[in-house]
Amino acid sequence: MNDTIDEILIQEFGKKEKRFLQECIHCGLCLPTCPTYISNGKEMDSPRGRLYLIDSVLNGKASIDNIFEKHIKSCLVCRACETACPSGVEFGHLMETTRAALNNAKNPSIVQRLLLKIVIPSHSFLTIIFFLTRFIQRIHLDKLLHVPPFKFFTSSKLKELQQSLPSIPKNRFGNSKSQYYQATDKCKGTVALFTGCIMDHLFPHVHSATVRILNWNGYNVIIPSNQTCCGALHAHTGDNSSANKLAKKNNEILLNNKFDYIAINSAGCGSHLKSYIKYNNSGLASKIMDISELLTLVTLKSPKSCPIGPVAYDEPCHLLHGQGISSEPKSILNSIPDINLINLKNADHCCGSAGSYSLSETEMSIKLLEKKIEAIKNSGASLVVTANPGCQIQLNWGAKRAKLKIEVLHLVELLDKCYRTDPNYLKI
């Protein structure tokens, strides 16, 4: 079996991947940026160490075993090492390629295949699942996991994950038909909003806020029908085949329409779709933008001052390291009159969410989360702003675990809240 996995890894690594691997000069500048290396100090849990393991297998010096797999799967693929790397090694791509080899050689569990291939790409299935979850939350059945006799038969991991779930909204944002929202003033252009899968169901209010903000700033907004999951969750687990199919489908839906821009308010989705564009020469390259990126291009209407305490901005990994976007969200925050934007120590460090990482590597995820929450606590912030749904869920969970009274909002939620002090904005 090991020989089979080794051969599959060798087949997955083409000329491009081998070139990326050879670009690593083993300088170690990535080590202080790697969350898992910072946490446990193990060389094999650093970017340099993981690349060494891969190179050893490709050169026949080692074989893939459980230890190899453990070190590869413990990586968050936060891509902080890419920002630090002087050689420009595309570590995220190499990790996804390696995980694809593991995925192809070892069949994933039935549950994982069911979730990734059937449930997550289907809004119908997601609607049913979230409806049932909301029902359970409403009648407090989820509390049974923490009382006798049920708590004795429930793993601590399941209890933690159950508590991390946010309150499920009543309705999702989109539907099966395309939707159109008209600009309030003279139209400057048309923006398509990519709504994704999980965010469409768990954060419909963020999508609604995004639409209002774009309309208020002179843009018509279209929600194209038949959008599906971007494929990021699939890529993180090594199912590159499904990831590429989903990205291609979204690519075709968005390209078949004439939009000035395609806005994404989920850092993980944006990072993945931009990566797909990069490696497949998609025509969307000049159009697809994170919402903060797009809003800094337009003459943003000045929001009104609204009563908020000290605000800290926590940088989502796939916005900062995956898309190279950092100054844009901060400039939007600084455009809010009288805002007290304070410094958050290690704001560029991963919070431990990383897509499905908190599900698969819960222990390490919690370690990283606790460090992040401690930094937030020490900052004195009463409000934390981020720009990714996974980070928002993770930070809310961390605040709940630490009994820390802070509010966690998406960037557009805060901007929308400030705009709402204008009576004309409320008419949208």
Side-chain angles (χ1 to χ4, degrees), residues 80-115:
C81 53
E82 292 187 15
T83 302
C85 182
S87 302
V89 176
E90 299 199 23
F91 184 80
H93 180 71
L94 292 174
M95 287 304 300
E96 289 179 357
T97 303
T98 304
R99 288 181 177 180
L102 293 172
N103 184 76
N104 293 337
K106 293 185 174 182
N107 288 327
S109 68
I110 294 176
V111 173
Q112 181 177 317
R113 281 180 291 178
L114 181 67
L115 284 173

PDB file of all heavy atoms in Angstrom, residues 80-115:
ATOM      1  N   ALA A  80       0.885  31.576   5.635  1.00  0.00           N
ATOM      2  CA  ALA A  80       1.722  32.619   6.227  1.00  0.00           C
ATOM      3  C   ALA A  80       3.171  32.457   5.779  1.00  0.00           C
ATOM      4  O   ALA A  80       3.902  33.442   5.626  1.00  0.00           O
ATOM      5  CB  ALA A  80       1.637  32.558   7.748  1.00  0.00           C
ATOM      6  N   CYS A  81       3.570  31.208   5.549  1.00  0.00           N
ATOM      7  CA  CYS A  81       4.941  30.940   5.103  1.00  0.00           C
ATOM      8  C   CYS A  81       5.200  31.535   3.713  1.00  0.00           C
ATOM      9  O   CYS A  81       6.327  31.926   3.393  1.00  0.00           O
ATOM     10  CB  CYS A  81       5.209  29.442   5.092  1.00  0.00           C
ATOM     11  SG  CYS A  81       3.991  28.484   4.172  1.00  0.00           S
ATOM     12  N   GLU A  82       4.164  31.614   2.893  1.00  0.00           N
ATOM     13  CA  GLU A  82       4.324  32.190   1.553  1.00  0.00           C
ATOM     14  C   GLU A  82       4.650  33.673   1.635  1.00  0.00           C
ATOM     15  O   GLU A  82       5.454  34.192   0.862  1.00  0.00           O
ATOM     16  CB  GLU A  82       3.056  31.971   0.726  1.00  0.00           C
ATOM     17  CG  GLU A  82       2.805  30.519   0.367  1.00  0.00           C
ATOM     18  CD  GLU A  82       1.633  30.344  -0.594  1.00  0.00           C
ATOM     19  OE1 GLU A  82       1.205  31.345  -1.206  1.00  0.00           O
ATOM     20  OE2 GLU A  82       1.121  29.222  -0.728  1.00  0.00           O
ATOM     21  N   THR A  83       4.004  34.360   2.585  1.00  0.00           N
ATOM     22  CA  THR A  83       4.278  35.789   2.767  1.00  0.00           C
ATOM     23  C   THR A  83       5.715  36.001   3.227  1.00  0.00           C
ATOM     24  O   THR A  83       6.374  36.967   2.824  1.00  0.00           O
ATOM     25  CB  THR A  83       3.297  36.386   3.800  1.00  0.00           C
ATOM     26  OG1 THR A  83       1.959  36.181   3.340  1.00  0.00           O
ATOM     27  CG2 THR A  83       3.528  37.867   3.993  1.00  0.00           C
ATOM     28  N   ALA A  84       6.220  35.095   4.069  1.00  0.00           N
ATOM     29  CA  ALA A  84       7.567  35.240   4.621  1.00  0.00           C
ATOM     30  C   ALA A  84       8.657  34.746   3.673  1.00  0.00           C
ATOM     31  O   ALA A  84       9.814  35.161   3.792  1.00  0.00           O
ATOM     32  CB  ALA A  84       7.664  34.468   5.938  1.00  0.00           C
ATOM     33  N   CYS A  85       8.311  33.885   2.732  1.00  0.00           N
ATOM     34  CA  CYS A  85       9.319  33.208   1.903  1.00  0.00           C
ATOM     35  C   CYS A  85       9.999  34.150   0.912  1.00  0.00           C
ATOM     36  O   CYS A  85       9.330  34.765   0.068  1.00  0.00           O
ATOM     37  CB  CYS A  85       8.653  32.055   1.138  1.00  0.00           C
ATOM     38  SG  CYS A  85       9.819  31.126   0.125  1.00  0.00           S
ATOM     39  N   PRO A  86      11.328  34.276   0.966  1.00  0.00           N
ATOM     40  CA  PRO A  86      12.051  35.147   0.029  1.00  0.00           C
ATOM     41  C   PRO A  86      12.137  34.556  -1.377  1.00  0.00           C
ATOM     42  O   PRO A  86      12.431  35.267  -2.338  1.00  0.00           O
ATOM     43  CB  PRO A  86      13.447  35.256   0.656  1.00  0.00           C
ATOM     44  CG  PRO A  86      13.615  33.984   1.423  1.00  0.00           C
ATOM     45  CD  PRO A  86      12.250  33.639   1.944  1.00  0.00           C
ATOM     46  N   SER A  87      11.871  33.251  -1.497  1.00  0.00           N
ATOM     47  CA  SER A  87      11.975  32.581  -2.800  1.00  0.00           C
ATOM     48  C   SER A  87      10.625  32.454  -3.502  1.00  0.00           C
ATOM     49  O   SER A  87      10.571  31.985  -4.636  1.00  0.00           O
ATOM     50  CB  SER A  87      12.588  31.187  -2.620  1.00  0.00           C
ATOM     51  OG  SER A  87      13.852  31.264  -2.008  1.00  0.00           O
ATOM     52  N   GLY A  88       9.557  32.831  -2.812  1.00  0.00           N
ATOM     53  CA  GLY A  88       8.235  32.756  -3.433  1.00  0.00           C
ATOM     54  C   GLY A  88       7.706  31.348  -3.613  1.00  0.00           C
ATOM     55  O   GLY A  88       6.947  31.074  -4.564  1.00  0.00           O
ATOM     56  N   VAL A  89       8.083  30.435  -2.728  1.00  0.00           N
ATOM     57  CA  VAL A  89       7.598  29.052  -2.826  1.00  0.00           C
ATOM     58  C   VAL A  89       6.080  29.031  -2.618  1.00  0.00           C
ATOM     59  O   VAL A  89       5.576  29.582  -1.640  1.00  0.00           O
ATOM     60  CB  VAL A  89       8.278  28.150  -1.769  1.00  0.00           C
ATOM     61  CG1 VAL A  89       7.691  26.739  -1.814  1.00  0.00           C
ATOM     62  CG2 VAL A  89       9.783  28.109  -2.006  1.00  0.00           C
ATOM     63  N   GLU A  90       5.370  28.398  -3.524  1.00  0.00           N
ATOM     64  CA  GLU A  90       3.901  28.325  -3.434  1.00  0.00           C
ATOM     65  C   GLU A  90       3.521  27.103  -2.601  1.00  0.00           C
ATOM     66  O   GLU A  90       3.086  26.071  -3.106  1.00  0.00           O
ATOM     67  CB  GLU A  90       3.291  28.293  -4.830  1.00  0.00           C
ATOM     68  CG  GLU A  90       3.644  29.546  -5.619  1.00  0.00           C
ATOM     69  CD  GLU A  90       2.708  29.786  -6.799  1.00  0.00           C
ATOM     70  OE1 GLU A  90       1.578  29.279  -6.781  1.00  0.00           O
ATOM     71  OE2 GLU A  90       3.127  30.490  -7.717  1.00  0.00           O
ATOM     72  N   PHE A  91       3.676  27.282  -1.310  1.00  0.00           N
ATOM     73  CA  PHE A  91       3.517  26.180  -0.362  1.00  0.00           C
ATOM     74  C   PHE A  91       2.086  25.638  -0.350  1.00  0.00           C
ATOM     75  O   PHE A  91       1.866  24.431  -0.256  1.00  0.00           O
ATOM     76  CB  PHE A  91       3.911  26.657   1.042  1.00  0.00           C
ATOM     77  CG  PHE A  91       3.871  25.588   2.086  1.00  0.00           C
ATOM     78  CD1 PHE A  91       4.908  24.683   2.209  1.00  0.00           C
ATOM     79  CD2 PHE A  91       2.794  25.482   2.946  1.00  0.00           C
ATOM     80  CE1 PHE A  91       4.870  23.689   3.178  1.00  0.00           C
ATOM     81  CE2 PHE A  91       2.740  24.496   3.914  1.00  0.00           C
ATOM     82  CZ  PHE A  91       3.784  23.584   4.029  1.00  0.00           C
ATOM     83  N   GLY A  92       1.107  26.527  -0.421  1.00  0.00           N
ATOM     84  CA  GLY A  92      -0.283  26.086  -0.385  1.00  0.00           C
ATOM     85  C   GLY A  92      -0.607  25.130  -1.521  1.00  0.00           C
ATOM     86  O   GLY A  92      -1.277  24.110  -1.315  1.00  0.00           O
ATOM     87  N   HIS A  93      -0.115  25.437  -2.703  1.00  0.00           N
ATOM     88  CA  HIS A  93      -0.345  24.568  -3.860  1.00  0.00           C
ATOM     89  C   HIS A  93       0.328  23.207  -3.667  1.00  0.00           C
ATOM     90  O   HIS A  93      -0.249  22.167  -3.996  1.00  0.00           O
ATOM     91  CB  HIS A  93       0.183  25.241  -5.128  1.00  0.00           C
ATOM     92  CG  HIS A  93      -0.008  24.425  -6.366  1.00  0.00           C
ATOM     93  ND1 HIS A  93      -1.242  24.215  -6.945  1.00  0.00           N
ATOM     94  CD2 HIS A  93       0.893  23.747  -7.135  1.00  0.00           C
ATOM     95  CE1 HIS A  93      -1.105  23.449  -8.014  1.00  0.00           C
ATOM     96  NE2 HIS A  93       0.178  23.148  -8.151  1.00  0.00           N
ATOM     97  N   LEU A  94       1.534  23.222  -3.100  1.00  0.00           N
ATOM     98  CA  LEU A  94       2.243  21.964  -2.861  1.00  0.00           C
ATOM     99  C   LEU A  94       1.515  21.098  -1.835  1.00  0.00           C
ATOM    100  O   LEU A  94       1.445  19.874  -1.977  1.00  0.00           O
ATOM    101  CB  LEU A  94       3.672  22.255  -2.383  1.00  0.00           C
ATOM    102  CG  LEU A  94       4.613  22.879  -3.418  1.00  0.00           C
ATOM    103  CD1 LEU A  94       5.944  23.247  -2.782  1.00  0.00           C
ATOM    104  CD2 LEU A  94       4.838  21.925  -4.593  1.00  0.00           C
ATOM    105  N   MET A  95       0.959  21.733  -0.801  1.00  0.00           N
ATOM    106  CA  MET A  95       0.234  20.976   0.215  1.00  0.00           C
ATOM    107  C   MET A  95      -1.031  20.365  -0.363  1.00  0.00           C
ATOM    108  O   MET A  95      -1.374  19.209  -0.075  1.00  0.00           O
ATOM    109  CB  MET A  95      -0.107  21.881   1.402  1.00  0.00           C
ATOM    110  CG  MET A  95       1.077  22.242   2.272  1.00  0.00           C
ATOM    111  SD  MET A  95       1.950  20.791   2.921  1.00  0.00           S
ATOM    112  CE  MET A  95       0.638  20.006   3.841  1.00  0.00           C
ATOM    113  N   GLU A  96      -1.753  21.139  -1.169  1.00  0.00           N
ATOM    114  CA  GLU A  96      -2.982  20.619  -1.759  1.00  0.00           C
ATOM    115  C   GLU A  96      -2.685  19.480  -2.737  1.00  0.00           C
ATOM    116  O   GLU A  96      -3.449  18.519  -2.838  1.00  0.00           O
ATOM    117  CB  GLU A  96      -3.750  21.751  -2.446  1.00  0.00           C
ATOM    118  CG  GLU A  96      -4.371  22.720  -1.440  1.00  0.00           C
ATOM    119  CD  GLU A  96      -5.123  23.870  -2.079  1.00  0.00           C
ATOM    120  OE1 GLU A  96      -5.128  23.954  -3.334  1.00  0.00           O
ATOM    121  OE2 GLU A  96      -5.709  24.690  -1.343  1.00  0.00           O
ATOM    122  N   THR A  97      -1.567  19.577  -3.440  1.00  0.00           N
ATOM    123  CA  THR A  97      -1.167  18.500  -4.358  1.00  0.00           C
ATOM    124  C   THR A  97      -0.826  17.237  -3.577  1.00  0.00           C
ATOM    125  O   THR A  97      -1.203  16.125  -3.964  1.00  0.00           O
ATOM    126  CB  THR A  97       0.055  18.943  -5.200  1.00  0.00           C
ATOM    127  OG1 THR A  97      -0.269  20.149  -5.900  1.00  0.00           O
ATOM    128  CG2 THR A  97       0.443  17.867  -6.200  1.00  0.00           C
ATOM    129  N   THR A  98      -0.112  17.393  -2.464  1.00  0.00           N
ATOM    130  CA  THR A  98       0.254  16.239  -1.633  1.00  0.00           C
ATOM    131  C   THR A  98      -0.987  15.598  -1.026  1.00  0.00           C
ATOM    132  O   THR A  98      -1.126  14.362  -1.004  1.00  0.00           O
ATOM    133  CB  THR A  98       1.219  16.677  -0.509  1.00  0.00           C
ATOM    134  OG1 THR A  98       2.354  17.317  -1.087  1.00  0.00           O
ATOM    135  CG2 THR A  98       1.675  15.483   0.312  1.00  0.00           C
ATOM    136  N   ARG A  99      -1.898  16.422  -0.539  1.00  0.00           N
ATOM    137  CA  ARG A  99      -3.129  15.880   0.045  1.00  0.00           C
ATOM    138  C   ARG A  99      -3.994  15.203  -1.013  1.00  0.00           C
ATOM    139  O   ARG A  99      -4.722  14.247  -0.711  1.00  0.00           O
ATOM    140  CB  ARG A  99      -3.900  17.004   0.741  1.00  0.00           C
ATOM    141  CG  ARG A  99      -3.226  17.458   2.027  1.00  0.00           C
ATOM    142  CD  ARG A  99      -4.001  18.556   2.715  1.00  0.00           C
ATOM    143  NE  ARG A  99      -3.369  18.929   3.977  1.00  0.00           N
ATOM    144  CZ  ARG A  99      -3.832  19.857   4.791  1.00  0.00           C
ATOM    145  NH1 ARG A  99      -4.942  20.508   4.489  1.00  0.00           N
ATOM    146  NH2 ARG A  99      -3.202  20.128   5.927  1.00  0.00           N
ATOM    147  N   ALA A 100      -3.911  15.691  -2.242  1.00  0.00           N
ATOM    148  CA  ALA A 100      -4.654  15.048  -3.327  1.00  0.00           C
ATOM    149  C   ALA A 100      -4.143  13.631  -3.548  1.00  0.00           C
ATOM    150  O   ALA A 100      -4.924  12.697  -3.800  1.00  0.00           O
ATOM    151  CB  ALA A 100      -4.526  15.864  -4.613  1.00  0.00           C
ATOM    152  N   ALA A 101      -2.813  13.451  -3.450  1.00  0.00           N
ATOM    153  CA  ALA A 101      -2.227  12.112  -3.603  1.00  0.00           C
ATOM    154  C   ALA A 101      -2.707  11.198  -2.478  1.00  0.00           C
ATOM    155  O   ALA A 101      -3.068  10.037  -2.721  1.00  0.00           O
ATOM    156  CB  ALA A 101      -0.701  12.209  -3.594  1.00  0.00           C
ATOM    157  N   LEU A 102      -2.710  11.706  -1.246  1.00  0.00           N
ATOM    158  CA  LEU A 102      -3.191  10.912  -0.109  1.00  0.00           C
ATOM    159  C   LEU A 102      -4.669  10.574  -0.271  1.00  0.00           C
ATOM    160  O   LEU A 102      -5.105   9.457   0.021  1.00  0.00           O
ATOM    161  CB  LEU A 102      -2.974  11.677   1.197  1.00  0.00           C
ATOM    162  CG  LEU A 102      -1.525  11.908   1.631  1.00  0.00           C
ATOM    163  CD1 LEU A 102      -1.468  12.841   2.835  1.00  0.00           C
ATOM    164  CD2 LEU A 102      -0.839  10.588   1.955  1.00  0.00           C
ATOM    165  N   ASN A 103      -5.430  11.534  -0.752  1.00  0.00           N
ATOM    166  CA  ASN A 103      -6.868  11.340  -0.934  1.00  0.00           C
ATOM    167  C   ASN A 103      -7.150  10.282  -2.005  1.00  0.00           C
ATOM    168  O   ASN A 103      -8.061   9.452  -1.871  1.00  0.00           O
ATOM    169  CB  ASN A 103      -7.515  12.671  -1.329  1.00  0.00           C
ATOM    170  CG  ASN A 103      -9.032  12.572  -1.439  1.00  0.00           C
ATOM    171  OD1 ASN A 103      -9.737  12.533  -0.444  1.00  0.00           O
ATOM    172  ND2 ASN A 103      -9.549  12.542  -2.662  1.00  0.00           N
ATOM    173  N   ASN A 104      -6.357  10.302  -3.070  1.00  0.00           N
ATOM    174  CA  ASN A 104      -6.549   9.345  -4.169  1.00  0.00           C
ATOM    175  C   ASN A 104      -6.116   7.933  -3.792  1.00  0.00           C
ATOM    176  O   ASN A 104      -6.660   6.957  -4.296  1.00  0.00           O
ATOM    177  CB  ASN A 104      -5.775   9.802  -5.408  1.00  0.00           C
ATOM    178  CG  ASN A 104      -6.341  11.074  -6.009  1.00  0.00           C
ATOM    179  OD1 ASN A 104      -7.518  11.393  -5.797  1.00  0.00           O
ATOM    180  ND2 ASN A 104      -5.528  11.808  -6.749  1.00  0.00           N
ATOM    181  N   ALA A 105      -5.123   7.851  -2.910  1.00  0.00           N
ATOM    182  CA  ALA A 105      -4.613   6.537  -2.522  1.00  0.00           C
ATOM    183  C   ALA A 105      -5.443   5.892  -1.416  1.00  0.00           C
ATOM    184  O   ALA A 105      -5.605   4.671  -1.374  1.00  0.00           O
ATOM    185  CB  ALA A 105      -3.159   6.654  -2.079  1.00  0.00           C
ATOM    186  N   LYS A 106      -5.941   6.722  -0.504  1.00  0.00           N
ATOM    187  CA  LYS A 106      -6.740   6.214   0.620  1.00  0.00           C
ATOM    188  C   LYS A 106      -8.151   6.777   0.514  1.00  0.00           C
ATOM    189  O   LYS A 106      -8.351   7.985   0.654  1.00  0.00           O
ATOM    190  CB  LYS A 106      -6.124   6.641   1.956  1.00  0.00           C
ATOM    191  CG  LYS A 106      -4.778   6.006   2.236  1.00  0.00           C
ATOM    192  CD  LYS A 106      -4.305   6.407   3.637  1.00  0.00           C
ATOM    193  CE  LYS A 106      -3.036   5.672   4.027  1.00  0.00           C
ATOM    194  NZ  LYS A 106      -2.595   6.008   5.396  1.00  0.00           N
ATOM    195  N   ASN A 107      -9.096   5.924   0.263  1.00  0.00           N
ATOM    196  CA  ASN A 107     -10.464   6.397   0.119  1.00  0.00           C
ATOM    197  C   ASN A 107     -10.934   7.094   1.390  1.00  0.00           C
ATOM    198  O   ASN A 107     -10.834   6.533   2.481  1.00  0.00           O
ATOM    199  CB  ASN A 107     -11.415   5.236  -0.193  1.00  0.00           C
ATOM    200  CG  ASN A 107     -11.212   4.724  -1.607  1.00  0.00           C
ATOM    201  OD1 ASN A 107     -10.879   5.503  -2.504  1.00  0.00           O
ATOM    202  ND2 ASN A 107     -11.411   3.442  -1.814  1.00  0.00           N
ATOM    203  N   PRO A 108     -11.472   8.314   1.272  1.00  0.00           N
ATOM    204  CA  PRO A 108     -12.005   9.010   2.453  1.00  0.00           C
ATOM    205  C   PRO A 108     -13.198   8.246   3.019  1.00  0.00           C
ATOM    206  O   PRO A 108     -13.784   7.396   2.346  1.00  0.00           O
ATOM    207  CB  PRO A 108     -12.445  10.372   1.891  1.00  0.00           C
ATOM    208  CG  PRO A 108     -11.767  10.499   0.567  1.00  0.00           C
ATOM    209  CD  PRO A 108     -11.582   9.113   0.060  1.00  0.00           C
ATOM    210  N   SER A 109     -13.581   8.573   4.233  1.00  0.00           N
ATOM    211  CA  SER A 109     -14.718   7.920   4.862  1.00  0.00           C
ATOM    212  C   SER A 109     -16.003   8.233   4.095  1.00  0.00           C
ATOM    213  O   SER A 109     -16.078   9.218   3.352  1.00  0.00           O
ATOM    214  CB  SER A 109     -14.868   8.380   6.312  1.00  0.00           C
ATOM    215  OG  SER A 109     -15.252   9.740   6.348  1.00  0.00           O
ATOM    216  N   ILE A 110     -16.996   7.398   4.297  1.00  0.00           N
ATOM    217  CA  ILE A 110     -18.290   7.606   3.639  1.00  0.00           C
ATOM    218  C   ILE A 110     -18.885   8.953   4.042  1.00  0.00           C
ATOM    219  O   ILE A 110     -19.447   9.673   3.219  1.00  0.00           O
ATOM    220  CB  ILE A 110     -19.266   6.463   3.999  1.00  0.00           C
ATOM    221  CG1 ILE A 110     -18.762   5.139   3.408  1.00  0.00           C
ATOM    222  CG2 ILE A 110     -20.674   6.773   3.488  1.00  0.00           C
ATOM    223  CD1 ILE A 110     -19.591   3.937   3.789  1.00  0.00           C
ATOM    224  N   VAL A 111     -18.732   9.309   5.326  1.00  0.00           N
ATOM    225  CA  VAL A 111     -19.271  10.583   5.822  1.00  0.00           C
ATOM    226  C   VAL A 111     -18.616  11.753   5.099  1.00  0.00           C
ATOM    227  O   VAL A 111     -19.290  12.695   4.658  1.00  0.00           O
ATOM    228  CB  VAL A 111     -19.067  10.707   7.341  1.00  0.00           C
ATOM    229  CG1 VAL A 111     -19.475  12.098   7.827  1.00  0.00           C
ATOM    230  CG2 VAL A 111     -19.863   9.636   8.079  1.00  0.00           C
ATOM    231  N   GLN A 112     -17.270  11.711   4.970  1.00  0.00           N
ATOM    232  CA  GLN A 112     -16.563  12.799   4.304  1.00  0.00           C
ATOM    233  C   GLN A 112     -16.975  12.910   2.845  1.00  0.00           C
ATOM    234  O   GLN A 112     -17.209  14.009   2.332  1.00  0.00           O
ATOM    235  CB  GLN A 112     -15.045  12.582   4.393  1.00  0.00           C
ATOM    236  CG  GLN A 112     -14.239  13.712   3.735  1.00  0.00           C
ATOM    237  CD  GLN A 112     -12.749  13.529   3.898  1.00  0.00           C
ATOM    238  OE1 GLN A 112     -12.280  13.168   4.971  1.00  0.00           O
ATOM    239  NE2 GLN A 112     -11.989  13.780   2.848  1.00  0.00           N
ATOM    240  N   ARG A 113     -17.071  11.762   2.167  1.00  0.00           N
ATOM    241  CA  ARG A 113     -17.482  11.790   0.758  1.00  0.00           C
ATOM    242  C   ARG A 113     -18.900  12.322   0.603  1.00  0.00           C
ATOM    243  O   ARG A 113     -19.202  13.079  -0.330  1.00  0.00           O
ATOM    244  CB  ARG A 113     -17.376  10.392   0.151  1.00  0.00           C
ATOM    245  CG  ARG A 113     -15.943  10.000  -0.229  1.00  0.00           C
ATOM    246  CD  ARG A 113     -15.864   8.620  -0.811  1.00  0.00           C
ATOM    247  NE  ARG A 113     -16.149   7.602   0.189  1.00  0.00           N
ATOM    248  CZ  ARG A 113     -16.195   6.301  -0.055  1.00  0.00           C
ATOM    249  NH1 ARG A 113     -15.999   5.860  -1.265  1.00  0.00           N
ATOM    250  NH2 ARG A 113     -16.446   5.447   0.905  1.00  0.00           N
ATOM    251  N   LEU A 114     -19.769  11.912   1.509  1.00  0.00           N
ATOM    252  CA  LEU A 114     -21.163  12.366   1.463  1.00  0.00           C
ATOM    253  C   LEU A 114     -21.242  13.881   1.638  1.00  0.00           C
ATOM    254  O   LEU A 114     -21.957  14.574   0.886  1.00  0.00           O
ATOM    255  CB  LEU A 114     -21.968  11.662   2.559  1.00  0.00           C
ATOM    256  CG  LEU A 114     -23.466  11.989   2.641  1.00  0.00           C
ATOM    257  CD1 LEU A 114     -24.186  11.450   1.414  1.00  0.00           C
ATOM    258  CD2 LEU A 114     -24.076  11.381   3.905  1.00  0.00           C
ATOM    259  N   LEU A 115     -20.506  14.392   2.626  1.00  0.00           N
ATOM    260  CA  LEU A 115     -20.538  15.826   2.894  1.00  0.00           C
ATOM    261  C   LEU A 115     -19.961  16.642   1.738  1.00  0.00           C
ATOM    262  O   LEU A 115     -20.563  17.623   1.292  1.00  0.00           O
ATOM    263  CB  LEU A 115     -19.765  16.130   4.181  1.00  0.00           C
ATOM    264  CG  LEU A 115     -20.460  15.789   5.497  1.00  0.00           C
ATOM    265  CD1 LEU A 115     -19.515  15.992   6.664  1.00  0.00           C
ATOM    266  CD2 LEU A 115     -21.704  16.635   5.699  1.00  0.00           C
TER     267      LEU A 115
END
